[in-house]
Amino acid sequence: MSVKPTVLKLGGSVITNKAKTLTPSLPTIERLTKEISRANVSPLVLVHGGGSFGHPLAKRYAIKEGYRKGDASQVLGFCETHQAMVTLNKLVVDVLIQNNIPAVAVSPSSCVVTKSGRISTMMQELLKRLLKNGFVPVLFGDAVLDSDLGFTILSGDQLVAYLAVRLKAARIIMGIDVNGLFTGDPKVDSSEHLINHITLEELRRMLARIGESKVTDVTGGMLGKIAELMPAVEKGIPSLIVNATKPNNLYRALKGERTVGTLIERGEKTVVRKNQGKKI
Ligand code: IP8
């Protein structure tokens, strides 16, 4: 694979109706697929979130917290959570194929093991081969086996950053349901505004101020998203957060055109002189 891939996440809040359990947003999936098709970016890896498919079930059976010995209902809950994600994934992949995108479903529960919630092993060879042959692998946040916890929930966000680093991606694009990262909550203080560009160092200083999503999201909302992206940004992979609920934003982002959103880049490292603590 000579050209570096783009890793694109379609947020669960974008492709499902988060207020209604097991309800997809089919018109949005179709619109986004058309934008992806028009942008014609290759190689491309797609990851989608759980939205109203994975999250309510994961929460009901406390899958993220791990296996409670002897709790057979939780074991079935693992299966139900995974199966809900497979159902959503099938909807997404079907629409992609209908739009001539050579999408292949790759189920994380079949190729990833985590350790205390972090990816410890993943069969990457398969993904590399798929990309080399022009396919678009479509992964998703999933219920996965965990060597410490028995099982857990792997977020699509963790997967995105992991894949971007391992596949030496050119960039990450996160299509979510807000415009990006704000200096604060504009609903509380109207002077708070969207951050168009932020470096890692600026981000670290800001992190404490980012609130967690209020809706059911077992993997941490915006705070979790940003924290997951940071290791990839540290490796020099720029990450762009865009509002994929608004038509053409994703298309523009994929084409590298200017769009409303937040670009997180490594930026220049600030050198701190020893014993003085002064920035130079
Ligand atoms: O929506 C979580 O993935 P995310 C998926 O990317 C499940 O956080 C199964 C809850």
Side-chain angles (χ1 to χ4, degrees):
M1 197 186 8
S2 51
V3 186
K4 291 177 165 193
T6 293
V7 179
L8 167 65
K9 166 123 192 250
L10 298 179
S13 310
V14 177
I15 60 167
T16 73
N17 179 346
K18 259 197 136 173
K20 267 191 181 169
T21 304
L22 299 175
T23 310
S25 296
L26 278 177
T28 308
I29 295 174
E30 269 163 25
R31 175 182 56 77
L32 291 172
T33 297
K34 290 202 160 50
E35 290 186 29
I36 295 166
S37 171
R38 257 196 314 135
N40 197 20
V41 166
S42 180
L44 177 67
V45 179
L46 241 155
V47 177
H48 65 78
S52 67
F53 282 71
H55 286 282
L57 288 162
K59 196 175 182 199
R60 184 189 308 160
Y61 295 106
I63 304 299
K64 188 168 190 253
E65 290 69 27
Y67 175 54
R68 288 186 299 255
K69 270 210 160 65
D71 188 342
S73 76
Q74 212 199 7
V75 175
L76 270 181
F78 175 96
C79 304
E80 273 184 50
T81 307
H82 166 67
Q83 201 57 16
M85 288 309 301
V86 170
T87 304
L88 177 60
N89 180 255
K90 184 179 182 311
L91 291 172
V92 172
V93 172
D94 279 348
V95 177
L96 287 164
I97 294 172
Q98 280 155 22
N99 284 277
N100 301 320
I101 296 169
V104 175
V106 177
S107 180
S109 69
S110 307
C111 61
V112 175
V113 176
T114 56
K115 184 170 169 55
S116 293
R118 309 302 303 173
I119 299 172
S120 55
T121 43
M122 175 168 199
M123 274 191 277
Q124 294 157 47
E125 198 44 42
L126 174 88
L127 286 178
K128 287 182 184 160
R129 267 182 199 280
L130 283 170
L131 289 172
K132 209 170 145 197
N133 287 286
F135 293 106
V136 175
V138 187
L139 299 95
F140 47 91
D142 201 3
V144 296
L145 296 181
D146 186 288
S147 54
D148 288 335
L149 302 168
F151 49 61
T152 192
I153 293 295
L154 168 66
S155 75
D157 297 336
Q158 185 187 155
L159 203 47
V160 161
Y162 182 93
L163 290 172
V165 171
R166 294 306 187 289
L167 300 172
K168 299 187 172 42
R171 58 183 175 156
I172 291 172
I173 298 175
M174 304 289 286
I176 62 170
D177 63 344
V178 292
N179 284 346
L181 184 59
F182 283 76
T183 50
D185 187 349
K187 284 183 206 134
V188 177
D189 181 347
S190 60
S191 69
E192 304 289 8
H193 59 271
L194 179 72
I195 299 166
N196 297 311
H197 182 260
I198 190 163
T199 64
L200 261 188
E201 199 181 321
E202 290 163 338
L203 186 59
R204 285 197 188 101
R205 274 188 251 128
M206 251 207 88
L207 259 185
R209 297 177 50 203
I210 302 167
E212 296 202 33
S213 166
K214 285 187 191 70
V215 278
T216 306
D217 184 343
V218 293
T219 45
M222 191 60 146
L223 187 65
K225 205 171 291 302
I226 301 283
E228 288 295 357
L229 291 176
M230 285 170 76
V233 180
E234 245 155 40
K235 291 257 180 321
I237 301 167
S239 299
L240 177 64
I241 300 174
V242 289
N243 190 339
T245 66
K246 296 195 181 145
N248 280 323
N249 270 356
L250 184 65
Y251 170 77
R252 280 193 216 104
L254 284 166
K255 292 298 276 182
E257 293 171 9
R258 237 186 121 78
T259 181
V260 179
T262 302
L263 177 63
I264 310 172
E265 281 187 306
R266 184 166 55 188
E268 285 308 305
K269 281 206 175 95
T270 308
V271 185
V272 178
R273 211 178 260 149
K274 263 192 180 162
N275 304 326
Q276 293 186 0
K278 277 185 196 156
K279 289 175 184 174
I280 54 169

